[in-house]
Amino acid sequence: MKDPRRVTHRAASGLPHATALPDVPHVVVIGAGIAGLAAAAGLAERGVTVEVLEREPSLGGRVAGWTDTLDSGPLAGTEVANNRGFHAFFRQYYNLRELLRRSDPGLTRLRAVEDYPLVDGEGRRDTFRGLPQTPPWNAIVFALRSPTFRFRDLVRINGKAAAPLATVSVPGIYEQLDDRDAGTFLDQINFPRAARHLAFEVFARSFFARPERLSAAELAAMFHIYFLGSNEGLVFDVAESNFDTALWNPLGEYLTGRGVVFHTGVSAESIATDGPRRMRVTTSDGRVIDADGVVAAVGVGGLQKIVTASPGLGDDDWRRRVAAMELAPPFVVQRLWLDAPVNSDRPPFLGTGGLEPIDNISVVSNYEREAAEWARATGGSVVEVHSYSVADPPPFEGLREKMLARLHQLYPETA
């Protein structure tokens, strides 16, 4: 953490440890993704006893990792590392990085990716290599260096309309801009249309939002976090091995050492508020856990299912708001174990715009230990192709073939 302007928000004062209470509280955390693991760490470190319920067999939620067995090709039966797709750990993700330091104080299991080029349908390419780290110069140099954003575009920007981009605060930015979509806002500030594929759509889809559905407030908050919100620069780190081995198994061991009890392959069915310890959680394996508190660190669908099955939970207004929440569009990841290497100049990560249906190509064997070992042993490579915020619902008819066709177009050697 290099930003001299960073601020640490101190928690309210209270007892130093839960053992100072007449009875030590017991909390059930539902979900072992990043949010659930962070909650478990914060509670256990303060002396609260914690049980974690995780529906999947592994920790990490949407950033989980596991082992698969190849079911086709000459290497059928081979065990390989797999996960839910590329994840960037930006330097300004202070809270997440502090969570990972619990089991890796020096963050040695992360490695830097110094550039992640972006390419559009016309072959224009942007790069983040060598940008200044200090805002606003990072954003200005990026814009002026971009083939889609010229100096004349910069002087045509409507400064008054664009002012919210430079003065982001939460929740104020949502009160200011959440009533319009990002495309309308970009029109209002005279943002050049040629730059939208690279400077807007790539980032919108990376947040699993259809560009036409992203609110102007979310765009402004995103712009602030990545361009103007810190001196950490625009490069990021990636896990040096599969997510389970690099991140979640070590963190799980740390939490177990703090007394946290994990139940994997188990989900919460309902939450009642009439138990002897205030709350009562019924699990999918038929157990009932009495608790003083519950953290529901679950996705929208899981939360709605729990609330529907828990008629005494919350008031009517809260239950209506939970029921009205929408799921983000699905994203699709193909991880491919190829029998030949990709060209040596391929970047670890390539973002794409205007090249539907793909949004990212990651050469996993360029940065992830298990994939690199597999590539060395076989003479091949491991590649991921991502399609974020897919418009059509499952079963994604024809999507796999379209994603592969784009991969072959951009990296012909993979055909």
Side-chain angles (χ1 to χ4, degrees):
M1 296 189 293
K2 296 178 291 187
D3 195 330
R5 299 171 302 164
R6 69 183 185 273
V7 175
T8 299
H9 296 278
R10 299 294 178 187
S13 59
L15 294 173
H17 199 267
T19 52
L21 295 166
D23 296 297
V24 173
H26 184 66
V27 172
V28 174
V29 175
I30 305 171
I34 293 174
L37 293 171
L43 291 163
E45 288 167 353
R46 289 159 178 80
V48 176
T49 63
V50 179
E51 286 185 77
V52 178
L53 307 178
E54 170 52 49
R55 179 185 62 187
E56 301 298 328
S58 51
L59 309 183
R62 292 189 178 89
V63 196
W66 61 89
T67 300
D68 265 335
T69 302
L70 296 182
D71 58 5
S72 62
L75 294 171
T78 303
E79 285 198 346
V80 290
N82 205 354
N83 59 50
R84 291 183 181 273
F86 179 89
H87 188 86
F89 295 84
F90 281 85
R91 310 282 168 80
Q92 60 267 47
Y93 290 2
Y94 298 133
N95 291 343
L96 175 56
R97 293 167 78 92
E98 283 303 309
L99 176 66
L100 297 178
R101 287 184 194 277
R102 264 52 169 216
S103 58
D104 182 14
L107 296 181
T108 58
R109 299 190 193 103
L110 298 180
R111 64 171 54 173
V113 171
E114 299 299 342
D115 191 23
Y116 47 109
L118 311 176
V119 64
D120 71 3
E122 296 185 27
R124 295 173 294 201
R125 184 176 289 246
D126 271 328
T127 176
F128 292 90
R129 185 183 297 278
L131 289 177
Q133 293 185 326
T134 305
W137 305 113
N138 52 4
I140 292 172
V141 172
F142 175 77
L144 293 179
R145 205 168 67 178
S146 171
T148 63
F149 204 114
R150 300 271 60 94
F151 180 76
R152 63 177 180 271
D153 297 318
L154 192 61
V155 299
R156 288 175 183 167
I157 292 289
N158 183 332
K160 184 177 180 181
L165 292 175
T167 57
V168 171
S169 65
V170 176
I173 194 66
Y174 292 92
E175 297 164 0
Q176 208 173 353
L177 292 179
D178 211 30
D179 62 339
R180 72 201 79 170
D181 64 86
T184 298
F185 175 72
L186 293 174
D187 287 338
Q188 291 170 343
I189 68 173
N190 294 331
F191 192 86
R193 288 199 165 270
R196 293 196 185 188
H197 278 321
L198 292 181
F200 164 52
E201 288 194 14
V202 169
F203 284 101
R205 293 179 187 275
S206 295
F207 282 80
F208 311 115
R210 303 291 302 174
E212 65 274 11
R213 292 292 307 276
L214 188 74
S215 87
E218 288 288 355
L219 175 69
M222 182 171 62
F223 181 79
H224 177 75
I225 289 169
Y226 292 99
F227 283 92
L228 302 182
S230 81
N231 276 358
E232 303 294 347
L234 296 168
V235 295
F236 54 71
D237 299 319
V238 294
E240 60 86 28
S241 64
N242 208 45
F243 294 147
D244 53 347
T245 56
L247 308 175
W248 312 129
N249 292 350
L251 184 58
E253 291 170 6
Y254 165 83
L255 292 173
T256 299
R258 288 274 182 168
V260 175
V261 176
F262 287 94
H263 305 282
T264 56
V266 177
S267 57
E269 297 290 301
S270 63
I271 303 170
T273 56
D274 57 357
R277 300 188 70 161
R278 188 179 180 194
M279 308 193 88
R280 176 168 284 182
V281 179
T282 301
T283 68
S284 58
D285 59 357
R287 291 182 304 117
V288 175
I289 305 173
D290 291 313
D292 300 284
V294 175
V295 177
V298 294
V300 170
L303 178 63
Q304 290 171 333
K305 181 179 178 181
I306 291 170
V307 171
T308 299
S310 309
L313 198 63
D315 60 24
D316 289 343
D317 178 63
W318 178 79
R319 294 175 67 84
R320 278 194 296 269
R321 286 188 286 120
V322 169
M325 294 171 72
E326 293 183 44
L327 285 168
F331 68 97
V332 173
V333 178
Q334 291 190 57
R335 179 174 282 211
L336 308 167
W337 288 266
L338 305 178
D339 62 359
V342 297
N343 291 351
S344 60
D345 61 346
R346 300 303 187 195
F349 174 93
L350 177 73
T352 64
L355 288 164
E356 288 79 5
I358 71 167
D359 297 289
N360 165 1
I361 301 172
S362 300
V363 183
V364 185
S365 46
N366 279 1
Y367 59 86
E368 190 177 280
R369 188 183 69 237
E370 292 93 340
E373 290 171 351
W374 188 89
R376 282 194 297 270
T378 63
S381 54
V382 183
V383 176
E384 282 182 0
V385 192
H386 294 195
S387 185
Y388 300 145
S389 62
V390 177
D392 299 324
F396 310 121
E397 193 66 37
L399 179 60
R400 172 182 168 83
E401 292 72 23
K402 292 174 184 175
M403 293 170 71
L404 290 175
R406 282 294 192 194
L407 171 65
H408 300 335
Q409 173 193 346
L410 291 167
Y411 290 5
E413 68 274 18
T414 62

